[in-house]
């Protein structure tokens, strides 16, 4: 059985670009560990407004930038930046846009208030990553999504991008963290998400305002595997994943985490490949 050799990480946070957290530390350490195990990786995160571009030596990749993504009938230019973590021999790609990321913090403002367009930011981020991977002409075997800001990627990969060479054979894994959001997304969220290949039936779970639990369940629906990434998570989401028959990796301590993920990638790859035979 061919092993999954190429892994795409779609991540919400990576240290040292943003302050340390459970997710930011995993975003930094897991890709390096997987690369050191002999797999080829690519890593993406949003270019949050609190990232110091000069100190972290970010620079724009002109050949990848310049596309417009239409969200809610408005054009939003997609800007791609890149930086390197020299000690890890690892490149990080950043998805940027003046409206969604410049001069703004991560998912909450200076007063801890959630941005009211986080739904549109999540749409832009997921689509921006997938469009960039297409331009790179890179075909990941495993796509590992970390954090609720990445929760739309599984749906887009399995529906809107399913015939793209870059994603046709990819298996998707979604990591559930303790980190969540308190508000609900706007009621037009499902309408804003629509792309060719996605039907209203695919979004039938998004009735009215979308909360954190509903968003993560949507990610589970279109993932091939689910990882409990924090010790404390929303149990309803994990129960939902179990009942849906998804492959699940339970919580791992820090020492075992990278090895467990490395094995899980192959389990998901082989299990889904067998189903397709």
């Amino acid at each position: 059985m061919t092993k999954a050799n190429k892994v795409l990480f779609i991540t919400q946070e990576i240290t040292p670009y943003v302050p340390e957290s459970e997710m930011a530390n995993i975003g930094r350490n897991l890709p390096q560990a997987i690369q050191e195990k002999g797999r080829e990786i690519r890593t993406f995160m949003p270019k949050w407004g609190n990232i110091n571009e000069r100190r972290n030596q970010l620079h724009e990749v002109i050949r990848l930038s310049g596309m417009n993504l239409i969200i809610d009938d408005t054009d939003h230019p997609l800007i791609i930046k890149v930086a390197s973590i020299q000690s890890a021999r690892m490149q990080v790609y950043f998805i940027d846009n003046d409206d969604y990321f410049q001069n703004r913090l991560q998912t909450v403002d200076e007063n801890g208030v959630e941005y009211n367009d986080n739904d549109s930011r999540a749409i832009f981020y997921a689509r921006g990553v997938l469009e960039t991977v297409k331009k790179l002409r890179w075909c990941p075997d495993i796509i590992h999504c970390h954090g609720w800001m990445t929760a739309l990627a599984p749906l887009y990969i399995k529906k809107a991008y399913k015939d793209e060479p870059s994603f046709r054979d990819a298996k998707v894994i979604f990591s559930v963290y303790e980190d969540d959001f308190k508000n609900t997304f706007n009621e037009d969220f499902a309408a804003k998400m629509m792309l060719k290949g996605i039907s209203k039936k695919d979004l039938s779970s998004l009735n009215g305002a979308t909360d954190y639990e509903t968003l993560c369940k949507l990610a589970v629906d279109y993932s091939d595997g689910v990882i409990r990434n924090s010790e404390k998570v929303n149990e309803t989401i994990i129960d939902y994943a179990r009942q849906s028959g998804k492959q699940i990796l339970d919580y791992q301590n820090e020492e075992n985490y990278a090895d467990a993920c490395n094995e899980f990638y192959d389990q998901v790859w082989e299990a889904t490949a067998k189903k397709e035979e």
Side-chain angles (χ1 to χ4, degrees), residues 12-25 45 48 50-51 55 105-106:
Q12 195 168 309
E13 301 174 12
I14 300 174
T15 186
Y17 305 111
V18 297
E20 286 196 22
S21 67
E22 180 182 46
M23 193 187 299
N25 289 340
M45 73 174 287
W48 303 115
N50 58 334
I51 295 173
R55 186 171 68 231
L105 302 182
Q106 290 169 238

Side-chain angles (χ1 to χ4, degrees), residues 17 47 51-53 56-60 81-83 94:
Y17 305 111
K47 213 298 288 173
I51 295 173
N52 187 314
E53 293 195 40
N56 291 297
Q57 298 184 330
L58 271 67
H59 61 271
E60 185 175 349
K81 295 175 179 172
V82 72
F94 297 84

Side-chain angles (χ1 to χ4, degrees), residues 218-244:
L218 182 72
V220 169
D221 285 340
Y222 293 97
S223 294
D224 300 291
V226 175
I227 298 179
R228 182 193 188 113
N229 245 88
S230 300
E231 197 165 2
K232 294 179 182 176
V233 298
N234 183 316
E235 293 294 340
T236 308
I237 297 164
I238 300 299
D239 289 343
Y240 180 78
R242 287 192 199 285
Q243 289 166 15
S244 64

Side-chain angles (χ1 to χ4, degrees), residues 1-248:
M1 184 72 68
T2 304
K3 298 276 180 171
N5 292 318
K6 297 179 180 178
V7 183
L8 169 63
F9 294 96
I10 308 178
T11 307
Q12 195 168 309
E13 301 174 12
I14 300 174
T15 186
Y17 305 111
V18 297
E20 286 196 22
S21 67
E22 180 182 46
M23 193 187 299
N25 289 340
I26 285 172
R28 161 65 182 81
N29 296 320
L30 179 62
Q32 179 183 355
I34 296 302
Q35 181 171 254
E36 288 172 354
K37 291 178 187 298
R39 301 188 200 250
E40 189 180 328
I41 64 160
R42 296 283 189 281
T43 305
F44 283 79
M45 73 174 287
K47 213 298 288 173
W48 303 115
N50 58 334
I51 295 173
N52 187 314
E53 293 195 40
R54 183 174 295 176
R55 186 171 68 231
N56 291 297
Q57 298 184 330
L58 271 67
H59 61 271
E60 185 175 349
V61 186
I62 303 297
R63 71 184 177 88
L64 298 176
S65 299
M67 179 184 295
N68 281 346
L69 302 182
I70 300 171
I71 299 173
D72 205 18
D73 297 326
T74 305
D75 278 3
H76 298 277
L78 174 61
I79 302 164
I80 310 300
K81 295 175 179 172
V82 72
S84 295
I85 301 176
Q86 298 291 353
S87 59
R89 296 183 179 178
M90 183 172 109
Q91 265 195 338
V92 178
Y93 291 91
F94 297 84
I95 300 297
D96 200 3
N97 171 266
D98 289 349
D99 297 325
Y100 290 138
F101 299 114
Q102 286 288 351
N103 304 315
R104 299 167 72 184
L105 302 182
Q106 290 169 238
T107 59
V108 298
D109 66 16
E110 297 85 348
N111 301 312
V113 177
E114 292 170 2
Y115 291 110
N116 62 9
D117 65 346
N118 274 344
D119 57 345
S120 296
R121 297 170 92 203
I123 293 168
F124 184 87
Y125 177 52
R127 289 179 54 190
V129 171
L130 302 182
E131 288 295 340
T132 305
V133 172
K134 263 176 59 180
K135 276 195 173 182
L136 289 168
R137 295 185 178 179
W138 194 64
C139 303
D141 301 309
I142 296 289
I143 300 173
H144 190 169
C145 302
H146 295 259
W148 62 259
M149 184 62 72
T150 75
L152 298 180
L155 166 73
Y156 284 137
I157 292 161
K158 297 292 186 173
K159 289 292 179 176
Y161 290 78
K162 67 179 180 182
D163 295 325
E164 292 290 342
S166 288
F167 305 109
R168 201 162 40 212
D169 300 319
K171 313 305 172 197
V172 184
I173 293 171
F174 181 67
S175 276
V176 183
Y177 285 81
E178 186 175 359
D179 177 64
D180 63 4
F181 58 88
K182 308 303 178 196
N183 295 340
T184 54
F185 286 170
N186 299 316
E187 292 200 4
D188 63 349
F189 176 53
K192 284 193 283 193
M193 285 173 59
M194 294 300 288
L195 277 181
K196 186 179 179 183
I198 299 175
S199 69
K200 288 184 179 178
K201 184 182 174 186
D202 298 326
L203 305 178
S204 58
S205 60
L206 306 182
N207 291 321
T210 301
D211 61 12
Y212 169 79
E213 187 179 299
T214 305
L215 182 69
C216 287
K217 284 181 177 178
L218 182 72
V220 169
D221 285 340
Y222 293 97
S223 294
D224 300 291
V226 175
I227 298 179
R228 182 193 188 113
N229 245 88
S230 300
E231 197 165 2
K232 294 179 182 176
V233 298
N234 183 316
E235 293 294 340
T236 308
I237 297 164
I238 300 299
D239 289 343
Y240 180 78
R242 287 192 199 285
Q243 289 166 15
S244 64
K246 304 290 178 181
Q247 296 224 68
I248 293 179

